Amino acid sequence: LDYVSDGTILKAVPNIAPFSAQLNLTLFGSDFLFSGRSQVYCKLSNGAISNALIVSKTLASCTLPTA
């Protein structure tokens, strides 16, 4: 059993966008880790959910659908 700390989001780009358009979100932070054992998601305050892609320990991205 391995302990894995939670990732930390330091910056999201863009930080504001209309809900009427598809959104490509890039997340900058630390300790992003995909072990293959669980799914990683992006979820916005409006409830939109999308699979996330962990690019590196400090970079993740996701494409969120239109509202």
Side-chain angles (χ1 to χ4, degrees), residues 5-42:
S5 63
D6 291 335
T8 302
I9 297 172
L10 301 174
K11 183 178 181 180
V13 177
N15 63 353
I16 189 168
F19 286 124
S20 60
Q22 182 172 307
L23 177 64
N24 294 312
L25 185 64
T26 302
L27 305 171
F28 299 90
S30 61
D31 298 323
F32 297 155
L33 177 67
F34 180 69
S35 67
R37 290 183 270 179
S38 62
Q39 293 284 19
V40 180
Y41 299 97
C42 289

Side-chain angles (χ1 to χ4, degrees), residues 37-65:
R37 290 183 270 179
S38 62
Q39 293 284 19
V40 180
Y41 299 97
C42 289
K43 181 177 179 183
L44 295 182
S45 60
N46 72 345
I49 298 175
S50 176
N51 289 331
L53 172 64
I54 305 299
V55 178
S56 70
K57 286 184 73 169
T58 60
L59 181 65
S61 67
C62 54
T63 301
L64 292 151

